[in-house]
Amino acid sequence: MNIVICTKRDLAGALVLNHLMPHLAEDRVMVLLSDKTRPAEKAQPELAEMKFLERELPVDVLFPLIDRLGGNGDAPLATFAGLQKRYGISFHTLSDINAPEAQTLLGDFAPDVVLSVRFSLIFKRPALDIARLGTWNVHPGALPRYAGLFAPFRALVDGQDRIGCTLHRIDDGIDTGPVAGIGWLPVQRERSLLWHVVNTYGPGLELFLSMLSDMRRDRVPELSAQDRTQRQYLSMPDAAQFAAFHQQGLRLSDREEYLEIVAGFLAPGQTMPTAVHEALDAVEAGTLGAAAPVEKVGAPCCCARA
């Protein structure tokens, strides 16, 4: 099959690709990456911290350092450049999936399936119709209730004992398409929000791989329409919502959890760069906003811009 995977150029996006690619060895794969950010991410300290840990620290600091040291061919997880080398896949970074050049890129690739995971760019027609077997989304929340942004955060604040990850076909709305299934991640309230965010996608990715296996056998997935009366679409949390989060004893991040996650990108014998520890010191000290704790590390980009 020709498969297009659309995701974000951040830590969770790299983890998504590492999850999927070992199962797509017989397929022709193209990856489209989004760098989209939102102004609100700088307006709220908690959002700035999450952005730093999810994007700036791994993509601007850790991954380039690993790549400059010769890559991570023996590591359990690969950086974006490492994924390109390991699997021979092509990467393209986009700012508008509906732009003519993006549609040409998709059309020339002739995808059977397009999968969007954490992509942040909204598909519109005709881009939505290019894939022969549909354009699909893995959404980190149980639809229809947890539509929109920061769904794992909302589930934690609501006291849910599990977080849903929904596989659905994309339609003309946002998080409104018919549902193929919901996978579930048990909540561990002693764990951080960031841990839940990066782990929520796994159950949804497994649903996609199962659906893909059925498609290879010409089996049409069974879909269920969403009950729109149960829909709650929300954007990024504000100060009051973060106050409620903290009042429940919940944490945005945890140093040891974070180091455990990113250690997977290190090859045997490699040690965590000092710059990462210094950055986490700044996070713990609450000094991220006072000054940039780390500088970007220059490295050749693996991603062509369409």
Side-chain angles (χ1 to χ4, degrees):
M1 279 192 181
N2 291 349
I3 300 173
V4 175
I5 303 172
C6 305
T7 191
K8 187 171 286 184
R9 197 167 68 94
D10 67 359
L11 176 60
L15 294 172
V16 163
L17 292 171
N18 276 280
H19 189 132
L20 289 174
M21 286 310 304
H23 302 279
L24 306 178
E26 303 301 319
D27 300 292
R28 179 170 169 252
V29 178
M30 178 172 71
V31 175
L32 303 182
L33 295 176
S34 163
D35 273 330
K36 181 176 180 179
T37 60
R38 297 175 172 87
E41 292 174 298
K42 295 181 179 180
Q44 188 69 33
E46 290 90 347
L47 293 174
E49 179 178 327
M50 291 293 288
K51 177 176 178 287
F52 177 77
L53 292 171
E54 290 174 334
R55 271 177 267 177
E56 295 166 11
L57 180 53
V59 173
D60 295 336
V61 180
L62 177 60
F63 290 178
L65 285 171
I66 290 172
D67 296 336
R68 281 175 53 179
L69 291 172
N72 56 352
D74 296 330
L77 302 173
T79 65
F80 291 108
L83 284 160
Q84 189 173 25
K85 293 177 182 178
R86 186 175 292 185
Y87 298 104
I89 49 179
S90 61
F91 284 76
H92 301 270
T93 301
L94 302 178
S95 58
D96 182 359
I97 190 62
N98 304 294
E101 56 269 28
Q103 292 186 45
T104 298
L105 186 67
L106 284 171
D108 289 347
F109 189 79
D112 296 296
V113 176
V114 171
L115 176 67
S116 175
V117 190
R118 197 181 170 83
F119 192 41
S120 295
L121 303 181
I122 305 302
F123 283 82
K124 299 179 181 178
R125 301 182 195 278
L128 190 57
D129 299 322
I130 291 175
R132 180 175 65 89
L133 298 175
T135 301
W136 302 82
N137 182 45
V138 168
H139 174 72
L143 295 176
R145 177 173 178 180
Y146 289 103
L149 305 179
F150 264 66
F153 170 91
R154 291 158 53 196
L156 288 173
V157 173
D158 287 348
Q160 300 290 340
D161 59 5
R162 59 181 185 168
I163 298 173
C165 189
T166 306
L167 173 64
H168 70 99
R169 187 160 184 166
I170 300 177
D171 62 8
D172 292 308
I174 300 177
D175 299 336
T176 55
V179 171
I182 301 178
W184 299 94
L185 175 75
V187 165
Q188 299 182 40
R189 294 185 73 81
E190 71 278 8
R191 297 272 195 178
S192 68
L193 170 62
L194 191 144
W195 183 91
H196 286 92
V197 168
V198 299
N199 282 284
T200 290
Y201 292 100
L205 296 175
E206 287 300 310
L207 287 174
F208 171 74
L209 291 170
S210 178
M211 182 185 73
L212 199 61
S213 178
D214 288 341
M215 286 177 167
R216 297 186 201 280
R217 297 174 175 84
D218 295 323
R219 296 175 182 169
V220 178
E222 295 184 8
L223 303 178
S224 301
Q226 295 187 41
D227 180 358
R228 301 291 183 90
T229 66
Q230 302 301 310
R231 175 178 167 86
Q232 296 181 17
Y233 186 95
L234 296 176
S235 186
M236 290 186 171
D238 58 19
Q241 291 166 321
F242 275 116
F245 174 86
H246 293 305
Q247 286 170 3
Q248 294 187 37
L250 297 166
R251 297 170 299 153
L252 292 177
S253 64
D254 176 88
R255 185 189 192 105
E256 294 308 314
E257 287 176 1
Y258 191 82
L259 289 172
E260 182 179 354
I261 293 167
V262 299
F265 293 94
L266 300 178
Q270 284 185 329
T271 58
M272 190 63 63
T274 300
V276 174
H277 289 289
E278 292 174 345
L280 295 178
D281 288 341
V283 171
E284 291 183 336
T287 58
L288 265 183
V294 292
E295 295 182 357
K296 292 185 178 182
V297 177
C301 180
C302 68
C303 313
R305 290 194 174 266

